[in-house]
Amino acid sequence: MPQLQRTEPTTAPGTSPAAHETPRATATLAVTSAATAVALMTYTAPAVTLPATVAALHTPLSAQAWLLNGTPLGLAALLLVAGTLADDYGRRRIFVAGTVALGITTVLGAFATSTWLFTLARIAQGAASAALLASSLGLIVHAFPTPRGRLHATGVWGAFVSGGIAVGPLVAGALPGWRLAYGVLGAAALIVAALSTRVLTESRAPRGGRPDLAGALVFSLALVSLVAALTLGRDGWLRTPVALLLAATVILIAAFALIEHRTRTPMIDLSLLRRPRFLGSAAGGLFTGLAVIGLFTFLPTLLQRTLGLSPIATAWLFLLWSGLSFVVALQVKRLPGHFAPRHQLALGFALHAVAVLTLLGAVGSGSWTRVLPGLVIGGVGSGLLNAALPLVAVESVPAERAAMGSGAQQTFRYIGSCAGVALTIALATSGGPGSLAHGANVAAVVSAGLALVGAVAVLVLRERA
């Protein structure tokens, strides 16, 4: 069926791109952005509560990566299938279900009594967040059909990603105890879920067929195998268990590709891998996870251990990074129109590389002021990335598959996050507690290198006339 061509309404100078959108569209943007912020707050809460959680659950060093990686693991495993379900069975339905599930699983995490119970709760939070995040951009694309309105809406949504990252550690650090923090975040998710049932309208792009559950299962196993290999790598990368897990990852990914090729309704349309724009979107998400999220998720814990900072002091310090990211993401819409999103991604990656290189020696310096320049530069870079990524995601696929495009990019983002967090912890702690400063420097150099690779990738992978 041919797609209807939409004409963009003219906008008077000085008028907001969203000025011609309906109140319903504005409400959709507000609710989806709020839910996204809560999901990211839940995601980032362990950044400052990890030491207290580890002490309460008696978690050994070898298992700490799982406490941080539970949510990104659930996200990466289910984002693709969540995006497909949202397109096929209703974006509002999947969004509401995901937001309710996020509230319930976050509250359950507050009552966990062991490392594995907490990790399972975090994985469930990630799965719920996958439904929420994958469907939210589909709802936004449906509510904002014009290019200018969509640019404004995805920019706001990206800013709330940064806002959630900024506020999550503050909430977790300010409350008396990590269990209460998860209880409050769970309640916030349930409140947003109640609001969403009143303001969202349903939309879908059905293809028919059944969900690709086999693909989701094999893909999840591949991720678990990869994260386990990277987690065990801290004790030696050439050991047999690490090699076997990496081999299993490769085999499972090959099996996943075979399943996707044969199924009628795949999680991801493999033909998209022939489109440079889609590959560029995937690369942007992957290297954001590997380079940016991987390092900055564990850096607060490193600073608490080496500088003796309290959770709330660490949260305020990192607000400089995440808060700047939020502000920059909101203001990106003021950039000249010829500044393409892929150039914005490349600049964001380059700034992150500069930022983490300025952090060399900061962990062992004994002074928190030493990390300030890196947090400022990194915040600007992160804001550019968070503003560009959602727009690149929805532009990389046909409009009727927006939720799948969003899910695909965010899947790569959280695959990168899982791998990046595990790799950062492995590098930073490989020499034991006494050499955290040296390990942090190694992790920073690796993060900078990965960011530069990401910058090159998003510039090279573009559609050619």
Side-chain angles (χ1 to χ4, degrees):
M1 179 182 294
Q3 295 182 15
L4 296 175
Q5 298 296 318
R6 300 184 186 273
T7 57
E8 180 182 348
T10 57
T11 304
T15 302
S16 167
H20 295 284
E21 303 296 344
T22 66
R24 178 71 70 176
T26 302
T28 296
L29 178 59
V31 169
T32 53
S33 296
T36 297
V38 173
L40 269 296
M41 289 167 67
T42 303
Y43 179 94
T44 57
V48 296
T49 62
L50 184 63
T53 307
V54 165
L57 302 179
H58 308 290
T59 306
L61 183 60
S62 60
Q64 289 181 24
W66 291 104
L67 297 183
L68 292 173
N69 265 338
T71 296
L73 186 61
L75 276 161
L78 289 181
L79 268 167
L80 278 172
V81 72
T84 298
L85 288 172
D87 284 334
D88 287 348
Y89 297 102
R91 293 155 185 156
R92 176 184 180 275
R93 179 181 298 172
I94 299 300
F95 179 88
V96 172
T99 309
V100 170
L102 177 63
I104 293 172
T105 55
T106 303
V107 171
L108 290 176
F111 293 97
T113 56
S114 69
T115 297
W116 286 110
L117 284 176
F118 183 77
T119 300
L120 289 174
R122 293 286 293 171
I123 292 173
Q125 290 165 30
S129 297
L132 182 163
L133 293 173
S135 55
S136 61
L137 275 179
L139 287 164
I140 288 172
V141 167
H142 179 74
F144 292 85
T146 66
R148 285 177 61 82
R150 190 172 299 167
L151 175 64
H152 166 78
T154 54
V156 170
W157 187 87
F160 272 83
V161 170
S162 299
I165 293 172
V167 176
L170 279 177
V171 171
L175 292 172
W178 63 273
R179 295 185 187 276
L180 179 60
Y182 284 103
V184 169
L185 291 173
L190 293 174
I191 291 171
V192 175
L195 291 174
S196 66
T197 61
R198 299 178 62 87
V199 303
L200 297 180
T201 56
E202 190 59 280
S203 65
R204 57 171 60 87
R207 299 175 300 165
R210 289 179 290 183
D212 182 19
L213 298 181
L217 176 61
V218 173
F219 191 70
S220 301
L221 292 174
L223 285 179
V224 171
S225 180
L226 175 62
V227 173
L230 293 173
T231 301
L232 293 176
R234 66 176 299 276
D235 296 321
W237 297 100
L238 300 179
R239 294 186 303 134
T240 300
V242 176
L244 290 175
L245 285 167
L246 290 175
T249 301
V250 173
I251 293 170
L252 288 166
I253 290 175
F256 172 72
L258 182 62
I259 291 171
E260 297 306 284
H261 179 71
R262 293 186 174 183
T263 187
R264 180 184 172 190
T265 52
M267 288 170 57
I268 182 171
D269 183 355
L270 295 181
S271 66
L272 290 172
L273 297 177
R274 295 194 293 268
R275 297 181 60 172
R277 182 176 292 185
F278 180 82
L279 291 175
S281 173
L286 178 66
F287 285 98
T288 297
L290 277 171
V292 182
I293 301 175
L295 181 68
F296 277 91
T297 295
F298 193 61
L299 188 57
T301 299
L302 284 174
L303 294 180
Q304 286 186 57
R305 290 177 177 174
T306 57
L307 301 182
L309 298 176
S310 66
I312 187 61
T314 307
W316 279 111
L317 182 62
F318 269 77
L319 182 63
L320 183 61
W321 171 70
S322 53
L324 270 173
S325 178
F326 175 75
V327 172
V328 169
L330 275 179
Q331 297 304 314
V332 160
K333 62 180 180 290
R334 301 181 185 277
L335 290 174
H338 61 268
F339 194 66
R342 64 187 179 88
H343 293 149
Q344 187 178 317
L345 288 176
L347 179 58
F349 282 128
L351 288 174
H352 173 78
V354 172
V356 295
L357 290 178
T358 66
L359 290 173
L360 291 175
V363 171
S365 67
S367 172
W368 61 268
T369 59
R370 177 66 176 76
V371 304
L372 295 181
L375 294 179
V376 170
I377 300 171
V380 175
S382 178
L384 291 172
L385 291 171
N386 285 336
L389 283 171
L391 182 60
V392 170
V394 299
E395 288 183 344
S396 68
V397 296
E400 68 272 11
R401 307 303 296 159
M404 189 276 290
S406 168
Q409 185 199 78
Q410 292 182 80
T411 295
F412 283 102
R413 177 177 178 139
Y414 293 109
I415 289 173
S417 175
C418 286
V421 168
L423 182 61
T424 298
I425 293 177
L427 293 173
T429 64
S430 57
S435 60
L436 286 177
H438 173 72
N441 288 339
V442 174
V445 171
V446 171
S447 177
L450 290 170
L452 293 177
V453 173
V456 172
V458 297
L459 288 176
V460 169
L461 294 169
R462 66 184 189 275
E463 300 287 355
R464 291 174 172 80

